[in-house]
Amino acid sequence: MIKQNKIEIHDPEVRKGNIIYCNFKCSGKVGEYFTENTFYLHHSENVEKVPKSILIIPVLANIAPVAWIAGADIYVNEIDEEFLEALETIKNSFKSMYPKHCFNGTIIFNTKRINKDYGKEKCGLFFSGGVDSLTSYIRNRKEQPILITVWGADISLKKREFWNKVKNDITQFTNDHNLKTVYLKSNFRSFLNEKNLYKFSRNGLKNWWVSVQHGLGLVGLSAPLTYKKGIKKVYFASTPLISKDNKLSFVAWGSHPSIENNLKWGETEVELDGIELNRFEKLGIIANYLRDLNYDLKLRVCWKSNNESNCSTCEKCARTMAMLLIKGLNPSKHGFNMDNSLLQRMKSNKRFFVKINKHQWTMIQHKISEIIHNVDPEYYDFCNWILMVKFKRK
């Protein structure tokens, strides 16, 4: 007898006042896409009085897309009415982005709850210390957003020392700016079997985290916090993509206006912030802000580094360093280190650097030609190499 393809999510349980645990049971093929059957979310705030229909949002936000692409139904006891509506809209968004993949499955519930009267005109902002989230803070700083930082997203739960150093940097930033920060820790990535989910990495879908999870799944973690703090709007920084004509374009991506801007629950809405800005424009906003404050803030942009520092050798670090130079800032004061290893890596991996983000590098090359004679001597060879490369070559 063939098992029904389904996921049964049990009621969430709050332990020690600030840790949400939620067990679930898989039947059928959908079970192969999970490494464990317990989801957890640690808060630095007490969430005992948050309704279960809100407490279940973090796990639902991360399980639902897996169920959809596997064609499985989801069973829950109770669900927030606004979030249920949002999930249906977002499922259709994924169908539009990835038309060659099937996103099916239904959420079956016993009770639909209306959660109102908790909003206090406060806002939250997901903050990592990178270019996108820092730009969103600068743009919305007059609202004094509560910063939300997550351990378990781009920083593995196994890297405690790395996390502690990043947390210290963000705590210093919040202290310098008289802000409040809430820290979250979750297995929302590690409870998924990303290796098995990789089978869907075709027809426009690159990998699960990048193409599906990191918008809906990450933002959904904030739901209990928004109820607790009375947050009516959550800002999530956009990831700018540049097309061949150096204009912004939004291709199929896990963070997309049709995802975050349709996400809602209770009285809370989400805004994908800065969608009109490319990365170069965002760094311009940051540069002006840092100059005005005379502030040597360290940016965190690197995906390759095994510690809290930017590696200063990968393509993303090199691209950010070049953009900072164009904006009149010394990268060495903002978390980067110029040495021969970067230049050697760029030269030895010329084809890679030419291929990745080719259109951004073409724009950088044009701008570098205008400022090369004024750059700090330690960056002259770096800038000169950029000018010599034929980025426009196919």
Side-chain angles (χ1 to χ4, degrees), residues 264-310:
K264 60 182 180 177
W265 55 81
E267 289 186 294
T268 303
E269 295 182 344
V270 179
E271 180 177 325
L272 187 60
D273 184 68
I275 59 176
E276 74 280 12
L277 300 171
N278 62 39
R279 190 171 182 84
F280 188 72
E281 291 168 331
K282 288 187 174 189
L283 277 163
I285 291 172
I286 292 172
N288 291 335
Y289 181 72
L290 297 181
R291 270 194 295 267
D292 289 344
L293 294 182
N294 192 26
Y295 189 35
D296 291 344
L297 176 70
K298 289 180 173 56
L299 299 174
R300 186 173 74 87
V301 306
C302 189
W303 296 339
K304 303 291 185 181
S305 177
N306 290 318
N307 55 53
E308 84 284 3
S309 303
N310 298 306

Short mmCIF file of all heavy atoms in Angstrom, two decimals, residues 264-310:
data_model
loop_
_atom_site.label_atom_id
_atom_site.label_comp_id
_atom_site.label_asym_id
_atom_site.label_seq_id
_atom_site.Cartn_x
_atom_site.Cartn_y
_atom_site.Cartn_z
N LYS A 264 2.85 38.03 4.95
CA LYS A 264 2.15 38.74 6.03
C LYS A 264 1.60 37.74 7.03
O LYS A 264 1.42 36.56 6.74
CB LYS A 264 1.00 39.59 5.45
CG LYS A 264 -0.04 38.77 4.70
CD LYS A 264 -1.13 39.63 4.10
CE LYS A 264 -2.15 38.74 3.36
NZ LYS A 264 -3.27 39.54 2.80
N TRP A 265 1.34 38.25 8.23
CA TRP A 265 0.65 37.47 9.27
C TRP A 265 0.11 38.46 10.29
O TRP A 265 0.66 39.54 10.47
CB TRP A 265 1.60 36.47 9.94
CG TRP A 265 2.85 37.10 10.50
CD1 TRP A 265 3.00 37.76 11.69
CD2 TRP A 265 4.14 37.16 9.85
NE1 TRP A 265 4.28 38.21 11.83
CE2 TRP A 265 5.01 37.85 10.73
CE3 TRP A 265 4.64 36.68 8.64
CZ2 TRP A 265 6.34 38.09 10.41
CZ3 TRP A 265 5.97 36.92 8.34
CH2 TRP A 265 6.80 37.61 9.22
N GLY A 266 -1.00 38.12 10.93
CA GLY A 266 -1.59 39.02 11.93
C GLY A 266 -1.70 40.44 11.42
O GLY A 266 -2.33 40.71 10.39
N GLU A 267 -1.05 41.38 12.13
CA GLU A 267 -1.00 42.78 11.71
C GLU A 267 0.33 43.15 11.04
O GLU A 267 0.57 44.31 10.76
CB GLU A 267 -1.20 43.70 12.92
CG GLU A 267 -2.59 43.68 13.50
CD GLU A 267 -2.75 44.70 14.61
OE1 GLU A 267 -2.10 44.54 15.66
OE2 GLU A 267 -3.52 45.66 14.43
N THR A 268 1.16 42.16 10.79
CA THR A 268 2.51 42.41 10.31
C THR A 268 2.61 42.20 8.79
O THR A 268 2.12 41.21 8.26
CB THR A 268 3.51 41.47 11.01
OG1 THR A 268 3.42 41.66 12.43
CG2 THR A 268 4.93 41.76 10.55
N GLU A 269 3.28 43.15 8.15
CA GLU A 269 3.56 43.04 6.72
C GLU A 269 5.07 43.09 6.51
O GLU A 269 5.81 43.58 7.36
CB GLU A 269 2.89 44.18 5.95
CG GLU A 269 1.36 44.11 5.98
CD GLU A 269 0.72 45.21 5.16
OE1 GLU A 269 1.43 46.19 4.82
OE2 GLU A 269 -0.48 45.09 4.85
N VAL A 270 5.52 42.61 5.37
CA VAL A 270 6.94 42.55 5.04
C VAL A 270 7.21 43.40 3.81
O VAL A 270 6.40 43.45 2.88
CB VAL A 270 7.39 41.09 4.78
CG1 VAL A 270 8.88 41.04 4.43
CG2 VAL A 270 7.09 40.22 6.01
N GLU A 271 8.35 44.08 3.82
CA GLU A 271 8.75 44.88 2.66
C GLU A 271 10.15 44.51 2.23
O GLU A 271 11.09 44.53 3.03
CB GLU A 271 8.71 46.38 2.99
CG GLU A 271 9.11 47.26 1.82
CD GLU A 271 9.01 48.74 2.12
OE1 GLU A 271 8.09 49.15 2.88
OE2 GLU A 271 9.86 49.52 1.62
N LEU A 272 10.29 44.14 0.97
CA LEU A 272 11.61 43.90 0.39
C LEU A 272 12.20 45.26 0.06
O LEU A 272 11.77 45.93 -0.88
CB LEU A 272 11.49 43.03 -0.86
CG LEU A 272 12.80 42.54 -1.49
CD1 LEU A 272 13.59 41.69 -0.51
CD2 LEU A 272 12.53 41.76 -2.77
N ASP A 273 13.18 45.66 0.83
CA ASP A 273 13.65 47.05 0.80
C ASP A 273 14.80 47.24 -0.20
O ASP A 273 15.70 46.42 -0.30
CB ASP A 273 14.13 47.46 2.19
CG ASP A 273 14.55 48.91 2.25
OD1 ASP A 273 13.67 49.78 2.13
OD2 ASP A 273 15.75 49.19 2.41
N GLY A 274 14.76 48.36 -0.91
CA GLY A 274 15.85 48.74 -1.80
C GLY A 274 15.85 48.05 -3.14
O GLY A 274 16.90 47.96 -3.80
N ILE A 275 14.69 47.62 -3.62
CA ILE A 275 14.64 46.88 -4.88
C ILE A 275 15.01 47.76 -6.08
O ILE A 275 15.34 47.25 -7.15
CB ILE A 275 13.26 46.23 -5.11
CG1 ILE A 275 12.15 47.29 -5.14
CG2 ILE A 275 12.99 45.18 -4.06
CD1 ILE A 275 10.78 46.72 -5.45
N GLU A 276 14.97 49.08 -5.87
CA GLU A 276 15.29 50.00 -6.97
C GLU A 276 16.78 50.31 -7.06
O GLU A 276 17.23 51.02 -7.97
CB GLU A 276 14.50 51.30 -6.81
CG GLU A 276 15.00 52.24 -5.71
CD GLU A 276 14.55 51.86 -4.30
OE1 GLU A 276 14.03 50.73 -4.12
OE2 GLU A 276 14.72 52.68 -3.39
N LEU A 277 17.58 49.76 -6.13
CA LEU A 277 19.00 50.08 -6.06
C LEU A 277 19.87 48.91 -6.50
O LEU A 277 19.60 47.77 -6.14
CB LEU A 277 19.38 50.45 -4.62
CG LEU A 277 18.66 51.65 -3.98
CD1 LEU A 277 19.00 51.71 -2.50
CD2 LEU A 277 19.04 52.94 -4.69
N ASN A 278 20.93 49.21 -7.27
CA ASN A 278 21.92 48.17 -7.54
C ASN A 278 23.00 48.23 -6.45
O ASN A 278 22.99 49.11 -5.59
CB ASN A 278 22.52 48.30 -8.94
CG ASN A 278 23.28 49.60 -9.16
OD1 ASN A 278 23.98 50.09 -8.27
ND2 ASN A 278 23.15 50.17 -10.35
N ARG A 279 23.93 47.30 -6.48
CA ARG A 279 24.91 47.20 -5.40
C ARG A 279 25.82 48.43 -5.36
O ARG A 279 26.22 48.90 -4.29
CB ARG A 279 25.75 45.93 -5.55
CG ARG A 279 26.63 45.62 -4.34
CD ARG A 279 27.26 44.25 -4.46
NE ARG A 279 28.07 43.91 -3.30
CZ ARG A 279 27.60 43.39 -2.18
NH1 ARG A 279 26.31 43.16 -2.06
NH2 ARG A 279 28.40 43.09 -1.17
N PHE A 280 26.15 48.95 -6.53
CA PHE A 280 27.01 50.13 -6.58
C PHE A 280 26.31 51.33 -5.93
O PHE A 280 26.93 52.09 -5.18
CB PHE A 280 27.35 50.45 -8.04
CG PHE A 280 28.37 51.52 -8.20
CD1 PHE A 280 29.71 51.29 -7.88
CD2 PHE A 280 28.02 52.77 -8.67
CE1 PHE A 280 30.66 52.29 -8.02
CE2 PHE A 280 28.97 53.78 -8.82
CZ PHE A 280 30.29 53.53 -8.50
N GLU A 281 25.03 51.49 -6.19
CA GLU A 281 24.27 52.58 -5.57
C GLU A 281 24.15 52.38 -4.06
O GLU A 281 24.20 53.35 -3.29
CB GLU A 281 22.89 52.66 -6.21
CG GLU A 281 22.93 53.16 -7.66
CD GLU A 281 21.62 52.96 -8.39
OE1 GLU A 281 20.86 52.01 -8.05
OE2 GLU A 281 21.34 53.74 -9.32
N LYS A 282 24.01 51.13 -3.63
CA LYS A 282 23.94 50.86 -2.19
C LYS A 282 25.25 51.24 -1.50
O LYS A 282 25.25 51.84 -0.42
CB LYS A 282 23.61 49.38 -1.94
CG LYS A 282 22.16 49.01 -2.27
CD LYS A 282 21.84 47.60 -1.84
CE LYS A 282 20.37 47.29 -2.04
NZ LYS A 282 19.94 46.01 -1.45
N LEU A 283 26.37 50.90 -2.14
CA LEU A 283 27.66 51.26 -1.55
C LEU A 283 27.85 52.77 -1.53
O LEU A 283 28.53 53.30 -0.65
CB LEU A 283 28.79 50.58 -2.30
CG LEU A 283 29.05 49.13 -1.86
CD1 LEU A 283 29.88 48.37 -2.87
CD2 LEU A 283 29.74 49.10 -0.50
N GLY A 284 27.25 53.47 -2.48
CA GLY A 284 27.29 54.93 -2.45
C GLY A 284 26.56 55.49 -1.24
O GLY A 284 27.04 56.43 -0.59
N ILE A 285 25.41 54.91 -0.91
CA ILE A 285 24.66 55.33 0.29
C ILE A 285 25.48 55.07 1.54
O ILE A 285 25.56 55.91 2.45
CB ILE A 285 23.31 54.58 0.34
CG1 ILE A 285 22.39 55.07 -0.79
CG2 ILE A 285 22.64 54.77 1.70
CD1 ILE A 285 21.12 54.26 -0.94
N ILE A 286 26.12 53.88 1.59
CA ILE A 286 26.95 53.53 2.75
C ILE A 286 28.14 54.48 2.86
O ILE A 286 28.47 54.97 3.95
CB ILE A 286 27.42 52.07 2.65
CG1 ILE A 286 26.23 51.12 2.80
CG2 ILE A 286 28.48 51.77 3.71
CD1 ILE A 286 26.56 49.67 2.52
N ALA A 287 28.80 54.75 1.73
CA ALA A 287 29.98 55.62 1.74
C ALA A 287 29.64 57.01 2.26
O ALA A 287 30.38 57.58 3.09
CB ALA A 287 30.57 55.71 0.34
N ASN A 288 28.54 57.56 1.81
CA ASN A 288 28.14 58.90 2.28
C ASN A 288 27.85 58.88 3.78
O ASN A 288 28.21 59.82 4.51
CB ASN A 288 26.90 59.38 1.52
CG ASN A 288 27.21 59.68 0.06
OD1 ASN A 288 28.34 60.00 -0.29
ND2 ASN A 288 26.21 59.61 -0.79
N TYR A 289 27.21 57.83 4.24
CA TYR A 289 26.87 57.70 5.66
C TYR A 289 28.13 57.60 6.51
O TYR A 289 28.26 58.28 7.54
CB TYR A 289 25.99 56.47 5.85
CG TYR A 289 25.55 56.22 7.27
CD1 TYR A 289 24.60 57.04 7.88
CD2 TYR A 289 26.06 55.15 8.00
CE1 TYR A 289 24.18 56.80 9.18
CE2 TYR A 289 25.64 54.90 9.29
CZ TYR A 289 24.71 55.73 9.88
OH TYR A 289 24.30 55.49 11.17
N LEU A 290 29.08 56.76 6.08
CA LEU A 290 30.30 56.57 6.86
C LEU A 290 31.16 57.84 6.87
O LEU A 290 31.78 58.17 7.89
CB LEU A 290 31.11 55.40 6.28
CG LEU A 290 30.44 54.02 6.35
CD1 LEU A 290 31.36 52.96 5.77
CD2 LEU A 290 30.05 53.66 7.78
N ARG A 291 31.19 58.55 5.76
CA ARG A 291 31.94 59.81 5.72
C ARG A 291 31.32 60.85 6.64
O ARG A 291 32.02 61.58 7.35
CB ARG A 291 32.01 60.34 4.28
CG ARG A 291 33.22 59.83 3.49
CD ARG A 291 33.42 60.64 2.23
NE ARG A 291 32.31 60.47 1.31
CZ ARG A 291 32.30 59.55 0.34
NH1 ARG A 291 33.35 58.77 0.15
NH2 ARG A 291 31.26 59.44 -0.47
N ASP A 292 30.00 60.92 6.64
CA ASP A 292 29.32 61.91 7.48
C ASP A 292 29.59 61.66 8.96
O ASP A 292 29.72 62.60 9.75
CB ASP A 292 27.80 61.86 7.23
CG ASP A 292 27.42 62.43 5.87
OD1 ASP A 292 28.27 63.12 5.26
OD2 ASP A 292 26.29 62.18 5.41
N LEU A 293 29.69 60.37 9.33
CA LEU A 293 29.91 60.02 10.74
C LEU A 293 31.39 59.82 11.08
O LEU A 293 31.73 59.64 12.25
CB LEU A 293 29.17 58.73 11.08
CG LEU A 293 27.64 58.76 11.04
CD1 LEU A 293 27.08 57.42 11.45
CD2 LEU A 293 27.09 59.85 11.95
N ASN A 294 32.25 59.82 10.03
CA ASN A 294 33.67 59.50 10.22
C ASN A 294 33.78 58.17 10.96
O ASN A 294 34.48 58.03 11.96
CB ASN A 294 34.39 60.61 11.00
CG ASN A 294 35.90 60.45 10.96
OD1 ASN A 294 36.45 59.86 10.04
ND2 ASN A 294 36.57 60.96 11.98
N TYR A 295 33.10 57.17 10.43
CA TYR A 295 32.90 55.89 11.11
C TYR A 295 33.59 54.77 10.33
O TYR A 295 33.26 54.51 9.17
CB TYR A 295 31.39 55.63 11.21
CG TYR A 295 30.96 54.46 12.06
CD1 TYR A 295 31.65 54.11 13.22
CD2 TYR A 295 29.82 53.74 11.73
CE1 TYR A 295 31.22 53.06 14.01
CE2 TYR A 295 29.37 52.68 12.52
CZ TYR A 295 30.08 52.35 13.66
OH TYR A 295 29.65 51.31 14.45
N ASP A 296 34.55 54.09 10.95
CA ASP A 296 35.29 53.01 10.30
C ASP A 296 34.58 51.67 10.51
O ASP A 296 35.10 50.75 11.13
CB ASP A 296 36.73 52.93 10.83
CG ASP A 296 37.56 54.12 10.40
OD1 ASP A 296 37.14 54.83 9.47
OD2 ASP A 296 38.63 54.34 11.00
N LEU A 297 33.37 51.58 9.99
CA LEU A 297 32.58 50.37 10.14
C LEU A 297 33.15 49.24 9.28
O LEU A 297 33.51 49.44 8.13
CB LEU A 297 31.14 50.65 9.71
CG LEU A 297 30.19 49.45 9.71
CD1 LEU A 297 29.90 49.01 11.13
CD2 LEU A 297 28.90 49.79 8.98
N LYS A 298 33.20 48.05 9.84
CA LYS A 298 33.65 46.87 9.10
C LYS A 298 32.44 46.17 8.47
O LYS A 298 31.54 45.73 9.16
CB LYS A 298 34.41 45.92 10.02
CG LYS A 298 35.77 46.45 10.44
CD LYS A 298 36.48 45.47 11.35
CE LYS A 298 37.91 45.92 11.63
NZ LYS A 298 38.00 47.26 12.19
N LEU A 299 32.45 46.09 7.14
CA LEU A 299 31.40 45.39 6.42
C LEU A 299 31.64 43.88 6.47
O LEU A 299 32.79 43.43 6.52
CB LEU A 299 31.36 45.85 4.96
CG LEU A 299 31.08 47.32 4.70
CD1 LEU A 299 31.22 47.64 3.22
CD2 LEU A 299 29.69 47.68 5.19
N ARG A 300 30.58 43.11 6.43
CA ARG A 300 30.70 41.65 6.36
C ARG A 300 29.99 41.17 5.11
O ARG A 300 28.77 41.15 5.04
CB ARG A 300 30.08 40.98 7.60
CG ARG A 300 30.32 39.48 7.65
CD ARG A 300 29.86 38.89 8.96
NE ARG A 300 28.43 38.77 9.06
CZ ARG A 300 27.72 37.73 8.62
NH1 ARG A 300 28.33 36.72 8.03
NH2 ARG A 300 26.42 37.70 8.77
N VAL A 301 30.77 40.82 4.09
CA VAL A 301 30.18 40.46 2.81
C VAL A 301 30.56 39.06 2.33
O VAL A 301 29.98 38.55 1.38
CB VAL A 301 30.58 41.47 1.71
CG1 VAL A 301 30.24 42.89 2.13
CG2 VAL A 301 32.06 41.36 1.34
N CYS A 302 31.54 38.44 2.97
CA CYS A 302 32.18 37.24 2.41
C CYS A 302 31.43 35.96 2.73
O CYS A 302 31.00 35.74 3.87
CB CYS A 302 33.61 37.14 2.93
SG CYS A 302 34.57 35.85 2.13
N TRP A 303 31.28 35.10 1.72
CA TRP A 303 30.71 33.77 1.91
C TRP A 303 31.79 32.71 2.05
O TRP A 303 31.52 31.58 2.45
CB TRP A 303 29.83 33.39 0.71
CG TRP A 303 28.64 34.24 0.52
CD1 TRP A 303 28.01 35.03 1.44
CD2 TRP A 303 27.89 34.41 -0.69
NE1 TRP A 303 26.93 35.67 0.89
CE2 TRP A 303 26.83 35.31 -0.42
CE3 TRP A 303 28.01 33.89 -1.97
CZ2 TRP A 303 25.91 35.69 -1.39
CZ3 TRP A 303 27.09 34.26 -2.93
CH2 TRP A 303 26.06 35.16 -2.65
N LYS A 304 33.01 33.03 1.69
CA LYS A 304 34.08 32.04 1.61
C LYS A 304 34.88 31.92 2.91
O LYS A 304 35.50 30.90 3.17
CB LYS A 304 35.05 32.41 0.48
CG LYS A 304 34.40 32.52 -0.89
CD LYS A 304 33.93 31.19 -1.41
CE LYS A 304 33.39 31.29 -2.83
NZ LYS A 304 32.91 30.01 -3.35
N SER A 305 34.89 32.96 3.71
CA SER A 305 35.76 33.00 4.88
C SER A 305 35.33 31.98 5.93
O SER A 305 34.14 31.73 6.13
CB SER A 305 35.74 34.41 5.49
OG SER A 305 36.52 34.45 6.66
N ASN A 306 36.31 31.42 6.63
CA ASN A 306 36.03 30.47 7.71
C ASN A 306 36.11 31.14 9.08
O ASN A 306 36.04 30.47 10.10
CB ASN A 306 37.03 29.31 7.65
CG ASN A 306 36.78 28.41 6.46
OD1 ASN A 306 35.64 28.10 6.13
ND2 ASN A 306 37.85 28.00 5.79
N ASN A 307 36.30 32.45 9.09
CA ASN A 307 36.28 33.16 10.36
C ASN A 307 35.43 34.41 10.20
O ASN A 307 34.70 34.56 9.24
CB ASN A 307 37.71 33.51 10.80
CG ASN A 307 38.47 34.28 9.73
OD1 ASN A 307 37.99 35.30 9.23
ND2 ASN A 307 39.65 33.81 9.38
N GLU A 308 35.51 35.30 11.17
CA GLU A 308 34.62 36.47 11.16
C GLU A 308 35.03 37.53 10.15
O GLU A 308 34.28 38.45 9.89
CB GLU A 308 34.55 37.08 12.57
CG GLU A 308 35.67 38.05 12.94
CD GLU A 308 36.98 37.36 13.27
OE1 GLU A 308 37.05 36.12 13.18
OE2 GLU A 308 37.93 38.07 13.65
N SER A 309 36.21 37.41 9.58
CA SER A 309 36.73 38.42 8.67
C SER A 309 36.37 38.09 7.23
O SER A 309 36.11 36.95 6.87
CB SER A 309 38.25 38.51 8.80
OG SER A 309 38.63 38.79 10.13
N ASN A 310 36.34 39.14 6.39
CA ASN A 310 36.24 38.90 4.95
C ASN A 310 37.55 38.28 4.49
O ASN A 310 38.63 38.67 4.94
CB ASN A 310 36.02 40.23 4.23
CG ASN A 310 34.71 40.89 4.64
OD1 ASN A 310 33.64 40.30 4.57
ND2 ASN A 310 34.80 42.14 5.07
#
